[in-house]
Amino acid sequence: MLTESFDEDESCWRDLADVLSAGISRVLLYGPSGTGKTYAALHHNVGSCPAERLVCTEDLTSGEITGTWMPVGENRWEWREGPAIRAWRGAGGLGGRLVVDEVDRASGDALSTLLAMTDSPESARWRNPETSEWVRPGPQFSVMMTSNCDDLDEIPASLRDRFPVSIRIDQPHASALASLSSDLRAPARAGSLGPASRRVSLRCFYAFDELRRHLGPARAARLVFGDDVGTSVLDALAIASLA
Ligand SMILES: Nc1ncnc2c1ncn2[C@@H]1O[C@H](COP(=O)(O)OP(=O)(O)OP(=O)(O)O)[C@@H](O)[C@H]1O
Ligand SMILES: [Mg+2]
């Protein structure tokens, strides 16, 4: 679970916390890869019911969103509700969190279904084809979409319109940095290490930190950052340690 402590009052994480506390239930998190967008969407302000997650690809089908018929014996089929409907229901019908990752890739039928699932609470409803029950999102239903494109125009306009608040996540959360060794926190926060223009994601920092404990810094740097860049990464860390 994320802590509510922040290094800077003005950070993107402060914006997210304030928006959620103000009761906004639809937020788009976008920006560079590996800054913790999905992690935050899965954990931030999520109640007792674990978040449901959908990852959009060109092949995502409507059935993977709302559910499909499944064989349960000879000539018997049952409808299995998908992640969006499970999130609508949440624990005890109160509604939970739906996370829609890589949303810029949604297209075709899946996009239409996502539009229906993220519609305003007053309009959203879906009928279970097996029981004919009408389902509506519970009062605590929330959706977070994530995308690592930097241009919001790449996200289908109809979907974006359902998410009036978009926050560009440009740095890892303080709790993500806290689990790194202290010498890696500042570069991880800046998102770079070694050659100035080279972006390094949180995932690489975690892998480097873990590997150097087992294999030593030189091999870890070579394995994570490659032969060309590994040495300059080590030089950058050595210089930072003198400061
Ligand atoms: N607050 C956190 N505490 C602990 N680990 C974290 C935290 N935030 C992110 N991480 C870890 O950092 C890595 C990258 O996070 P995540 O997958 O959320 O990034 P992302 O911004 O969604 O990346 P992408 O744009 O590539 O999908 C993951 O291994 C995740 O578990
Ligand atoms: Mg992600």
Side-chain angles (χ1 to χ4, degrees):
M1 184 67 71
L2 294 177
T3 62
E4 296 295 327
S5 63
F6 297 87
D7 278 354
E8 285 180 17
D9 284 350
E10 299 305 321
S11 81
C12 50
W13 298 109
R14 168 60 66 192
D15 285 344
L16 177 61
D18 289 348
V19 159
L20 292 177
S21 323
I24 298 288
S25 61
R26 279 129 212 275
V27 182
L28 165 62
L29 304 179
Y30 70 103
S33 182
T35 46
K37 300 179 294 296
T38 299
Y39 186 95
L42 289 171
H43 298 283
H44 205 137
N45 273 34
V46 174
S48 55
C49 190
E52 297 283 350
R53 182 180 181 192
L54 272 169
V55 182
C56 297
T57 62
E58 288 85 44
D59 301 326
L60 181 73
T61 62
S62 211
E64 288 168 286
I65 303 172
T66 51
T68 46
W69 290 102
M70 297 286 287
V72 288
E74 214 174 308
N75 298 328
R76 239 175 58 74
W77 294 73
E78 253 177 33
W79 181 266
R80 292 279 160 80
E81 288 182 349
I85 304 300
R86 292 199 298 267
W88 271 20
R89 293 188 188 276
L94 285 175
R97 165 72 49 80
L98 176 64
V99 177
V100 187
D101 263 334
E102 320 299 347
V103 73
D104 47 297
R105 302 200 191 141
S107 60
D109 267 4
L111 177 57
S112 318
T113 307
L114 280 177
L115 291 176
M117 292 295 110
T118 54
D119 212 346
S120 51
E122 308 77 43
S123 316
R125 64 177 197 160
W126 171 87
R127 194 168 205 179
N128 182 305
E130 186 174 28
T131 60
S132 298
E133 176 200 6
W134 281 108
V135 186
R136 288 176 170 279
Q140 289 168 18
F141 172 68
S142 62
V143 201
M144 282 209 206
M145 299 197 300
T146 79
S147 167
N148 54 26
C149 59
D150 239 332
D151 180 359
L152 286 179
D153 287 341
E154 289 175 35
I155 294 168
S158 46
L159 200 50
R160 252 193 75 195
D161 190 51
R162 285 158 165 73
F163 291 75
V165 178
S166 307
I167 300 175
R168 185 172 188 275
I169 301 296
D170 55 8
Q171 58 177 267
H173 190 275
S175 64
L177 299 175
S179 53
L180 281 169
S181 300
S182 54
D183 63 329
L184 296 181
R185 287 179 200 156
R189 186 162 200 263
S192 67
L193 185 60
S197 56
R198 192 167 184 274
R199 235 201 77 74
V200 178
S201 88
L202 203 45
R203 293 186 188 97
C204 290
F205 280 104
Y206 282 135
F208 173 63
D209 206 11
E210 185 63 28
L211 269 184
R212 76 177 172 176
R213 259 178 236 134
H214 298 279
L215 308 178
R219 218 168 136 212
R222 185 170 56 77
L223 287 167
V224 175
F225 301 107
D227 288 337
D228 302 345
V229 181
T231 316
S232 49
V233 162
L234 293 177
D235 290 346
L237 283 175
I239 292 165
S241 73
L242 300 174

